[in-house]
Amino acid sequence: HDGYLGVMLGQKKDNWHLEFTMSDKNPSHCFDDEDALVFYIEDDKMYIKALERFKIEGIDPVKSANPYWDIYGRTYVDPDGYRIVICHKEWKN
């Protein structure tokens, strides 16, 4: 991968994936607390399992910049400082 390491998340049956990459170069980005990747998990058991995975890894939730996310889910910060929201709601287009 020309000096990049990464992981892709998705399922074979779906027509999308998320790709997370890293290199030996320092990142150059500008973001704020409103930049978030949101995962909607409607199923109660799956939602609780997702939160437990963060806890097992020693990652504590943080207060969200948008109070909506504190009502309907939990917000976490990834190693680069970006926000990840695990939302306990159904996604509707």
Side-chain angles (χ1 to χ4, degrees):
H1 293 303
D2 293 325
Y4 285 86
L5 298 175
V7 62
M8 289 188 195
L9 305 175
Q11 297 186 27
K12 290 181 181 180
K13 64 182 175 81
D14 294 331
N15 63 354
W16 62 269
H17 73 272
L18 294 174
E19 183 174 356
F20 297 92
T21 62
M22 62 182 258
S23 72
D24 58 356
K25 298 176 186 172
N26 287 328
S28 174
H29 50 248
C30 181
F31 61 90
D32 63 28
D33 291 347
E34 287 294 328
D35 294 316
L37 177 62
V38 180
F39 293 94
Y40 286 82
I41 303 175
E42 181 181 9
D43 181 82
D44 293 340
K45 289 180 183 178
M46 289 182 69
Y47 174 75
I48 291 168
K49 188 174 181 177
L51 299 185
E52 287 174 349
R53 290 287 307 270
F54 281 95
K55 186 174 184 177
I56 288 168
E57 294 297 326
I59 303 169
D60 294 322
V62 298
K63 185 170 176 59
S64 180
N66 181 340
Y68 179 89
W69 299 125
D70 291 332
I71 295 169
Y72 294 106
R74 297 291 179 266
T75 301
Y76 300 90
V77 178
D78 79 5
D80 290 324
Y82 287 101
R83 303 284 171 125
I84 300 169
V85 176
I86 308 298
C87 182
H88 193 206
K89 288 185 71 137
E90 176 185 12
W91 170 254
K92 295 180 182 178
N93 284 332

